[in-house]
Amino acid sequence: MKCILALLLLISGVAYAQQQRFLTSLIQRMTLDEKIGQLNLLTSDMDVTGPFMKENYKQDILSGACGAIFNAYTPQYTRMLQDMAMKTRLKVPLLFGYDVIHGHKTIFPIPLGEACTWDLPLMEKTARIAAEEASADGLHWTYSPMVDIARDPRWGRVAEGVGEDTWLGEQIASVKVRGYQGNDLSATNTILACVKHFALYGAIEAGRDYNTVDMSRRQMYQFYLPPYKAAVKAGAATAMTAFNEVDGIPATGNHWLLTELLRKEWGFKGFVVTDYTSINEMIPHGIVKNEYEAAELALKAGVDMDMQGSVYATQLKKLVAEKKIPVKLIDDAVYRVLEAKYKLGLFQDPYRYCDTLRAARVIMQPEHLHVARETAQKSIVLLKNEGPVLPLKQSAKVALIGPLGDAQRDMIGNWSAAGDYKKSVTLLQGLKAAGVAVTYAQGAQVTSDAQLMGKLGLQTGDEDAMLKEALDAARGADVVVMALGESQGMSGEAASRSDIGIPASQKRLLEAVMQTGKPVVLTLFNGRPLTLEWENAHVPAILVTWFGGTQAGHAITDVLLGKFNPSGKLTMTFPRNVGQIPIYYNRKNTGRPMDANNKYTSKYLDVANDPLFPFGYGLSYTTFEYGPLQLSANTLAMNGALRATVTVTNTGGYDGYETVQLYLRDVTASVNRPLQELRGFKKIFLKKGEKQEVRFDITAADLRFYDRNMRYVAEPGEFRLQAGPNSRDVQEVKFELKP
Ligand code: NOJ
């Protein structure tokens, strides 16, 4: 065994030395212009994901002034562009990147929905499939995972992330990196991951996209940075800077962030790319006067590659000539970029990802669609089921009503990149395919707000006629399934909302349908938590389906008919109203905890403190009973372990999944700590009548936090452990950590 290990080390040492020799010698042969070219990333015109594009990007490839392209895919197209790079003097291959966020062609649920599956192996699998398809389609690099912790659902980009919890965010960050990169980047079915947006983008003020962030170091270290760090630890090959500032300095020009923290403290070895034109944006940020200063600040801070801003391309040479920056800094950045290309095997064969036969074989193969359906099923969260109205009888006459009932484009959600919406399954199609007797009526427009309609490219329609058709359909049915919520363009980048309710046009429709007296199931399509007080008070059954991806319609049908028992649990709090935001489960107690009978305590006059649906919440068609939470001891030594057990029984009429959640509270500490923090979960499957003892092992390592002196330690004292089906309905036991 030892011999094999020594041999492997030797081989990897030799390979590393070979790589180093190759890259160093290549860089020695490069002119300054050629080096700068390697740091220039430009969008192709196949897809444009930012405010502007550069028309003559092909010229730049041919002249060696551009080393990487994004928004270009397919074996044919990338081959055509790669051919251009092969005409340059040193034939350095291009690197192709793209936002493969929740699948490439087979689209999975939006990441926020996927996180609600609490199924880490499945999340790794979807990243693996995304990488299989993207790499077969000419891509080398995805701009994912996005692991920005967010507590403000007004921000449209919560759709792209995993929600509000740091610990869960860490787990998901690692499995995603593993899924994309595998353990061998030189395999043709793996791609570079890019952890983003570094850092703190999820904490923008008021949920308004691209806005200011202001945060204490403690808050960063404790709650916002760990998921990025987990991605780095998992080996993420690249990182993308955030648009926002971090402690007064834009992330893209922040030496502390990119060099001190990312490289030195965390040991990040990959390359750093900016977000779209974010070097240029340091001018309006008010941190530099012009692009010349911006380029200097970014390079010195630790940015290797300039996405779309052409600032490095136009300024670096001058900065070197005027001795503002040493060539060595450029060489280091070029080295890191070339190293990524080397690891992918592009110097051996620049066309190794341009295989049309592989693309045809791999993309959207039945197994991928199968996983997409499973993921979508597991992402669906049942919020309410009075009656119970659900599951529906196969023989029921269903009226499907609402603008999202047959909306193919919306099913794949935002950031669905190369996804072909024409291949996605709508709810109407899903119900029909399952043999359900269904009548469909649109009923209303997604919104009748003229301004928003313009932004979403919607046409006006005859709302009265639509409403009448819908009411006729409802009256003729046994049950009504309402398909309401947001259209895909209402969340994602540059899609912040100040009102996160169901738009008025749809609400009017829902109210009218409710008056028919028919049982109603509200099926929501949404890229963020919504405010649903009225709906919760009046509608008997509510399902959150997010944007479920290519197979959305089948998956929702499976849940409606009880072929799949819903098991999703929210990873982001649903507030009662917008005034409660920011709202999140791992809050602190304050010096005046809420007391309904005492005016001078922390609360509102007009709304409760607690959310409508808490973090971790989600129902099932069956019921689970939790036995008492027990501890193996009530003290824990610094080097010891403690076992918490709870027996969960499926007491209802269906087999199903349950996600048993474990929370921790540090009662008194040198800095104030949240009332609860997720520290573990177990997703189990129980047949009806079945029970299982669920175990969690706790050591002092699980109790660590950043103390008064910013050391990551566990402090002796009283702790509480809480277990339950969500963050609200928990039982609690105490123990003491001994010095
Ligand atoms: C801007 C977005 O913020 C980022 O997430 C994305 O990767 C880039 N555009 C490239 O499309």
Side-chain angles (χ1 to χ4, degrees), residues 112 153-154 158 486 500 526-531 546 572-575:
L112 182 60
R154 288 172 296 185
V158 301
E486 302 183 305
I500 57 168
N526 47 321
R528 56 158 64 77
L530 301 174
T531 47
W546 313 107
M572 204 169 173
T573 303
F574 275 45

Side-chain angles (χ1 to χ4, degrees), residues 106-336:
T106 302
I107 301 295
F108 302 102
I110 53 165
L112 182 60
E114 191 185 77
C116 295
T117 66
W118 295 63
D119 189 334
L120 295 170
L122 185 61
M123 289 188 236
E124 180 167 342
K125 203 190 267 180
T126 61
R128 182 86 294 281
I129 291 174
E132 290 273 356
E133 293 195 355
S135 62
D137 216 13
L139 290 166
H140 310 138
W141 182 25
T142 174
Y143 301 140
S144 171
M146 184 281 213
V147 295
D148 303 325
I149 294 303
R151 295 169 165 182
D152 192 331
R154 288 172 296 185
W155 189 41
R157 300 198 79 169
V158 301
E160 285 174 64
V162 299
E164 71 195 38
D165 186 58
T166 309
W167 186 86
L168 189 60
E170 290 176 88
Q171 319 304 312
I172 297 177
S174 331
V175 297
K176 285 291 171 194
V177 171
R178 270 214 308 273
Y180 291 131
Q181 298 192 167
N183 42 27
D184 179 10
L185 277 177
S186 74
T188 46
N189 64 351
T190 54
I191 54 177
L192 309 172
C194 181
V195 56
K196 71 184 188 186
H197 305 84
F198 194 61
L200 320 181
Y201 188 18
I204 49 168
E205 286 175 1
R208 201 187 71 219
D209 213 356
Y210 317 121
N211 203 2
T212 305
V213 170
D214 192 9
M215 190 185 290
S216 70
R217 279 287 150 100
R218 180 176 307 289
Q219 187 82 346
M220 288 183 205
Y221 272 83
Q222 191 67 49
F223 298 108
Y224 285 82
L225 293 175
Y228 308 109
K229 187 177 176 184
V232 169
K233 200 166 155 214
T238 72
M240 186 187 292
T241 64
F243 287 123
N244 53 274
E245 65 184 70
V246 171
D247 203 7
I249 301 165
T252 306
N254 197 314
H255 185 269
W256 171 77
L257 187 72
L258 304 180
T259 299
E260 299 301 322
L261 182 72
L262 181 65
R263 286 203 188 281
K264 295 196 185 148
E265 207 174 304
W266 295 355
F268 175 68
K269 298 272 185 297
F271 74 81
V272 173
V273 63
T274 69
D275 204 340
Y276 214 104
T277 59
S278 59
I279 304 185
N280 321 52
E281 291 171 22
M282 292 200 284
I283 304 169
H285 262 297
I287 223 62
V288 288
K289 280 205 291 289
N290 48 37
E291 292 189 352
Y292 180 79
E293 287 184 8
E296 180 183 1
L297 187 65
L299 192 78
K300 287 184 172 164
V303 167
D304 300 313
M305 190 183 272
D306 173 3
M307 183 192 283
Q308 194 56 20
S310 298
V311 181
Y312 278 5
T314 56
Q315 308 298 326
L316 287 186
K317 202 168 176 190
K318 210 155 126 217
L319 282 159
V320 170
E322 289 168 5
K323 303 219 167 353
K324 288 283 173 82
I325 49 168
V327 179
K328 165 87 173 67
L329 266 191
I330 295 181
D331 286 353
D332 290 348
V334 173
Y335 189 96
R336 290 190 281 261

Side-chain angles (χ1 to χ4, degrees), residues 1 11 59 71 105 129 170 210 233 264 299 314 321 374 398 427 453 489 564 586 594-595 651 663 666 670 674:
M1 189 64 197
I11 296 173
Q59 264 316 310
N71 297 339
K105 286 284 186 185
I129 291 174
E170 290 176 88
Y210 317 121
K233 200 166 155 214
K264 295 196 185 148
L299 192 78
T314 56
E374 178 190 350
V398 174
L427 181 50
M453 284 182 87
F564 184 85
N586 48 346
M594 205 273 291
D595 172 355
T651 49
Y663 296 89
D666 187 346
S670 61

